[in-house]
mmCIF file of all heavy atoms in Angstrom:
data_model
loop_
_atom_site.group_PDB
_atom_site.id
_atom_site.type_symbol
_atom_site.label_atom_id
_atom_site.label_comp_id
_atom_site.label_asym_id
_atom_site.label_seq_id
_atom_site.Cartn_x
_atom_site.Cartn_y
_atom_site.Cartn_z
ATOM 1 N N ASP A 13 -8.103 -0.521 -18.527
ATOM 2 C CA ASP A 13 -8.558 -1.322 -17.418
ATOM 3 C C ASP A 13 -7.427 -2.159 -16.823
ATOM 4 O O ASP A 13 -7.589 -2.929 -15.951
ATOM 5 C CB ASP A 13 -9.727 -2.276 -17.902
ATOM 6 C CG ASP A 13 -10.941 -1.536 -18.299
ATOM 7 O OD1 ASP A 13 -11.192 -0.496 -17.587
ATOM 8 O OD2 ASP A 13 -11.735 -2.043 -19.077
ATOM 9 N N THR A 14 -6.270 -1.906 -17.365
ATOM 10 C CA THR A 14 -4.996 -2.504 -16.828
ATOM 11 C C THR A 14 -3.917 -1.499 -16.733
ATOM 12 O O THR A 14 -3.952 -0.463 -17.387
ATOM 13 C CB THR A 14 -4.567 -3.641 -17.865
ATOM 14 O OG1 THR A 14 -4.323 -3.073 -19.068
ATOM 15 C CG2 THR A 14 -5.631 -4.767 -17.845
ATOM 16 N N PRO A 15 -2.857 -1.865 -16.027
ATOM 17 C CA PRO A 15 -1.730 -0.865 -15.834
ATOM 18 C C PRO A 15 -0.913 -0.880 -17.224
ATOM 19 O O PRO A 15 -1.014 -1.736 -18.000
ATOM 20 C CB PRO A 15 -0.924 -1.435 -14.734
ATOM 21 C CG PRO A 15 -1.286 -2.907 -14.619
ATOM 22 C CD PRO A 15 -2.721 -3.036 -15.161
ATOM 23 N N PHE A 16 -0.131 0.208 -17.312
ATOM 24 C CA PHE A 16 0.785 0.346 -18.408
ATOM 25 C C PHE A 16 2.149 0.043 -18.017
ATOM 26 O O PHE A 16 2.778 0.613 -17.125
ATOM 27 C CB PHE A 16 0.817 1.797 -18.917
ATOM 28 C CG PHE A 16 -0.490 2.222 -19.546
ATOM 29 C CD1 PHE A 16 -1.416 3.011 -18.866
ATOM 30 C CD2 PHE A 16 -0.755 1.981 -20.895
ATOM 31 C CE1 PHE A 16 -2.556 3.455 -19.452
ATOM 32 C CE2 PHE A 16 -1.989 2.383 -21.515
ATOM 33 C CZ PHE A 16 -2.901 3.208 -20.710
ATOM 34 N N ALA A 17 2.804 -1.042 -18.544
ATOM 35 C CA ALA A 17 4.178 -1.401 -18.221
ATOM 36 C C ALA A 17 5.130 -0.395 -18.953
ATOM 37 O O ALA A 17 4.859 -0.110 -20.217
ATOM 38 C CB ALA A 17 4.440 -2.814 -18.648
ATOM 39 N N ALA A 18 6.073 0.118 -18.316
ATOM 40 C CA ALA A 18 6.984 1.051 -19.008
ATOM 41 C C ALA A 18 8.436 0.805 -18.421
ATOM 42 O O ALA A 18 8.652 0.734 -17.170
ATOM 43 C CB ALA A 18 6.640 2.478 -18.651
ATOM 44 N N ALA A 19 9.428 0.792 -19.350
ATOM 45 C CA ALA A 19 10.737 0.585 -18.885
ATOM 46 C C ALA A 19 11.284 2.010 -18.588
ATOM 47 O O ALA A 19 11.132 2.969 -19.416
ATOM 48 C CB ALA A 19 11.583 0.100 -20.056
ATOM 49 N N VAL A 20 11.817 2.195 -17.409
ATOM 50 C CA VAL A 20 12.234 3.497 -16.930
ATOM 51 C C VAL A 20 13.752 3.467 -16.652
ATOM 52 O O VAL A 20 14.318 2.400 -16.346
ATOM 53 C CB VAL A 20 11.443 3.981 -15.688
ATOM 54 C CG1 VAL A 20 9.933 4.220 -15.994
ATOM 55 C CG2 VAL A 20 11.544 3.058 -14.511
ATOM 56 N N GLU A 21 14.387 4.634 -16.788
ATOM 57 C CA GLU A 21 15.851 4.742 -16.422
ATOM 58 C C GLU A 21 16.063 5.421 -15.073
ATOM 59 O O GLU A 21 15.488 6.453 -14.833
ATOM 60 C CB GLU A 21 16.535 5.531 -17.545
ATOM 61 C CG GLU A 21 16.433 4.822 -18.959
ATOM 62 C CD GLU A 21 17.002 5.697 -20.006
ATOM 63 O OE1 GLU A 21 17.980 6.526 -19.728
ATOM 64 O OE2 GLU A 21 16.499 5.651 -21.137
ATOM 65 N N GLN A 22 16.935 4.872 -14.335
ATOM 66 C CA GLN A 22 17.352 5.338 -13.077
ATOM 67 C C GLN A 22 17.638 6.896 -13.137
ATOM 68 O O GLN A 22 18.368 7.318 -14.010
ATOM 69 C CB GLN A 22 18.452 4.606 -12.517
ATOM 70 C CG GLN A 22 18.858 5.083 -11.098
ATOM 71 C CD GLN A 22 20.039 4.341 -10.568
ATOM 72 O OE1 GLN A 22 20.832 3.760 -11.306
ATOM 73 N NE2 GLN A 22 20.243 4.343 -9.287
ATOM 74 N N GLY A 23 17.076 7.715 -12.218
ATOM 75 C CA GLY A 23 17.296 9.123 -12.203
ATOM 76 C C GLY A 23 16.544 9.947 -13.104
ATOM 77 O O GLY A 23 16.549 11.140 -12.976
ATOM 78 N N LYS A 24 15.860 9.353 -14.123
ATOM 79 C CA LYS A 24 15.035 10.105 -15.088
ATOM 80 C C LYS A 24 13.614 10.384 -14.536
ATOM 81 O O LYS A 24 13.098 9.565 -13.878
ATOM 82 C CB LYS A 24 14.976 9.223 -16.421
ATOM 83 C CG LYS A 24 14.368 10.042 -17.525
ATOM 84 C CD LYS A 24 14.490 9.326 -18.853
ATOM 85 C CE LYS A 24 13.701 10.116 -19.879
ATOM 86 N NZ LYS A 24 13.710 9.377 -21.194
ATOM 87 N N ASP A 25 13.184 11.574 -14.949
ATOM 88 C CA ASP A 25 11.773 12.008 -14.589
ATOM 89 C C ASP A 25 10.801 11.604 -15.593
ATOM 90 O O ASP A 25 11.092 11.716 -16.904
ATOM 91 C CB ASP A 25 11.708 13.533 -14.352
ATOM 92 C CG ASP A 25 12.546 13.976 -13.144
ATOM 93 O OD1 ASP A 25 12.768 13.168 -12.245
ATOM 94 O OD2 ASP A 25 13.019 15.143 -13.195
ATOM 95 N N TYR A 26 9.615 11.194 -15.173
ATOM 96 C CA TYR A 26 8.506 10.812 -16.122
ATOM 97 C C TYR A 26 7.260 11.557 -15.614
ATOM 98 O O TYR A 26 7.146 11.745 -14.360
ATOM 99 C CB TYR A 26 8.278 9.295 -16.188
ATOM 100 C CG TYR A 26 9.490 8.543 -16.687
ATOM 101 C CD1 TYR A 26 10.509 8.235 -15.775
ATOM 102 C CD2 TYR A 26 9.618 8.230 -17.967
ATOM 103 C CE1 TYR A 26 11.642 7.510 -16.265
ATOM 104 C CE2 TYR A 26 10.705 7.517 -18.468
ATOM 105 C CZ TYR A 26 11.789 7.203 -17.620
ATOM 106 O OH TYR A 26 12.823 6.545 -18.020
ATOM 107 N N TRP A 27 6.397 11.980 -16.506
ATOM 108 C CA TRP A 27 5.223 12.674 -16.045
ATOM 109 C C TRP A 27 3.973 11.910 -16.432
ATOM 110 O O TRP A 27 3.649 11.752 -17.651
ATOM 111 C CB TRP A 27 5.199 14.129 -16.757
ATOM 112 C CG TRP A 27 6.311 14.976 -16.260
ATOM 113 C CD1 TRP A 27 7.611 15.057 -16.816
ATOM 114 C CD2 TRP A 27 6.373 15.764 -15.064
ATOM 115 N NE1 TRP A 27 8.372 15.878 -15.928
ATOM 116 C CE2 TRP A 27 7.606 16.342 -14.884
ATOM 117 C CE3 TRP A 27 5.271 16.045 -14.062
ATOM 118 C CZ2 TRP A 27 7.817 17.164 -13.891
ATOM 119 C CZ3 TRP A 27 5.629 16.871 -12.976
ATOM 120 C CH2 TRP A 27 6.913 17.449 -12.911
ATOM 121 N N TRP A 28 3.372 11.388 -15.460
ATOM 122 C CA TRP A 28 2.120 10.503 -15.598
ATOM 123 C C TRP A 28 0.935 11.361 -15.807
ATOM 124 O O TRP A 28 0.702 12.383 -15.188
ATOM 125 C CB TRP A 28 2.046 9.691 -14.320
ATOM 126 C CG TRP A 28 0.834 8.908 -14.295
ATOM 127 C CD1 TRP A 28 0.626 7.683 -14.865
ATOM 128 C CD2 TRP A 28 -0.343 9.001 -13.463
ATOM 129 N NE1 TRP A 28 -0.649 7.113 -14.566
ATOM 130 C CE2 TRP A 28 -1.151 7.923 -13.641
ATOM 131 C CE3 TRP A 28 -0.724 10.075 -12.530
ATOM 132 C CZ2 TRP A 28 -2.388 7.808 -13.120
ATOM 133 C CZ3 TRP A 28 -1.972 9.958 -11.987
ATOM 134 C CH2 TRP A 28 -2.782 8.834 -12.191
ATOM 135 N N CYS A 29 0.150 10.888 -16.840
ATOM 136 C CA CYS A 29 -1.073 11.585 -17.170
ATOM 137 C C CYS A 29 -2.191 11.320 -16.070
ATOM 138 O O CYS A 29 -2.429 10.152 -15.821
ATOM 139 C CB CYS A 29 -1.649 11.063 -18.536
ATOM 140 S SG CYS A 29 -3.292 11.625 -18.895
ATOM 141 N N SER A 30 -2.716 12.321 -15.470
ATOM 142 C CA SER A 30 -3.640 12.200 -14.409
ATOM 143 C C SER A 30 -5.049 12.421 -15.028
ATOM 144 O O SER A 30 -6.065 11.995 -14.286
ATOM 145 C CB SER A 30 -3.473 13.123 -13.213
ATOM 146 O OG SER A 30 -3.586 14.496 -13.677
ATOM 147 N N CYS A 31 -5.249 12.966 -16.180
ATOM 148 C CA CYS A 31 -6.571 13.299 -16.636
ATOM 149 C C CYS A 31 -7.197 12.116 -17.539
ATOM 150 O O CYS A 31 -8.360 12.013 -17.697
ATOM 151 C CB CYS A 31 -6.538 14.536 -17.495
ATOM 152 S SG CYS A 31 -5.727 14.475 -19.173
ATOM 153 N N GLY A 32 -6.314 11.262 -18.069
ATOM 154 C CA GLY A 32 -6.756 10.133 -18.928
ATOM 155 C C GLY A 32 -6.939 10.535 -20.344
ATOM 156 O O GLY A 32 -7.312 9.661 -21.160
ATOM 157 N N GLN A 33 -6.741 11.799 -20.728
ATOM 158 C CA GLN A 33 -6.992 12.245 -22.173
ATOM 159 C C GLN A 33 -5.706 12.141 -23.009
ATOM 160 O O GLN A 33 -5.858 12.241 -24.149
ATOM 161 C CB GLN A 33 -7.405 13.686 -22.118
ATOM 162 C CG GLN A 33 -8.648 13.991 -21.297
ATOM 163 C CD GLN A 33 -9.881 13.483 -22.146
ATOM 164 O OE1 GLN A 33 -9.845 13.356 -23.316
ATOM 165 N NE2 GLN A 33 -11.008 13.328 -21.395
ATOM 166 N N SER A 34 -4.591 11.861 -22.504
ATOM 167 C CA SER A 34 -3.300 11.880 -23.230
ATOM 168 C C SER A 34 -3.362 10.805 -24.274
ATOM 169 O O SER A 34 -3.812 9.675 -24.057
ATOM 170 C CB SER A 34 -2.135 11.537 -22.351
ATOM 171 O OG SER A 34 -0.909 11.449 -23.113
ATOM 172 N N LYS A 35 -2.838 11.135 -25.497
ATOM 173 C CA LYS A 35 -2.708 10.097 -26.476
ATOM 174 C C LYS A 35 -1.450 9.325 -26.379
ATOM 175 O O LYS A 35 -1.126 8.475 -27.167
ATOM 176 C CB LYS A 35 -2.790 10.877 -27.919
ATOM 177 C CG LYS A 35 -4.014 11.627 -28.141
ATOM 178 C CD LYS A 35 -5.201 10.755 -28.242
ATOM 179 C CE LYS A 35 -6.418 11.665 -28.720
ATOM 180 N NZ LYS A 35 -7.438 11.762 -27.613
ATOM 181 N N ASN A 36 -0.607 9.653 -25.373
ATOM 182 C CA ASN A 36 0.602 9.053 -25.114
ATOM 183 C C ASN A 36 0.580 8.383 -23.752
ATOM 184 O O ASN A 36 1.621 8.450 -23.024
ATOM 185 C CB ASN A 36 1.726 10.154 -25.173
ATOM 186 C CG ASN A 36 3.152 9.632 -25.156
ATOM 187 O OD1 ASN A 36 3.338 8.532 -25.653
ATOM 188 N ND2 ASN A 36 4.049 10.369 -24.516
ATOM 189 N N GLN A 37 -0.390 7.675 -23.516
ATOM 190 C CA GLN A 37 -0.485 6.956 -22.218
ATOM 191 C C GLN A 37 0.601 6.033 -21.884
ATOM 192 O O GLN A 37 1.094 5.414 -22.820
ATOM 193 C CB GLN A 37 -1.803 6.206 -22.165
ATOM 194 C CG GLN A 37 -3.102 7.013 -22.038
ATOM 195 C CD GLN A 37 -3.200 7.827 -20.813
ATOM 196 O OE1 GLN A 37 -2.718 7.401 -19.658
ATOM 197 N NE2 GLN A 37 -3.855 8.920 -20.904
ATOM 198 N N PRO A 38 1.145 5.954 -20.765
ATOM 199 C CA PRO A 38 0.581 6.619 -19.471
ATOM 200 C C PRO A 38 1.152 8.002 -19.277
ATOM 201 O O PRO A 38 0.885 8.583 -18.191
ATOM 202 C CB PRO A 38 1.047 5.654 -18.403
ATOM 203 C CG PRO A 38 2.439 5.270 -18.925
ATOM 204 C CD PRO A 38 2.206 5.097 -20.428
#
Side-chain angles (χ1 to χ4, degrees):
D13 290 333
T14 59
F16 292 98
V20 297
E21 296 177 33
Q22 182 179 19
K24 186 174 177 183
D25 294 333
Y26 298 86
W27 293 92
W28 175 74
C29 168
S30 65
C31 72
Q33 298 285 343
S34 176
K35 303 292 186 245
N36 189 32
Q37 291 292 332

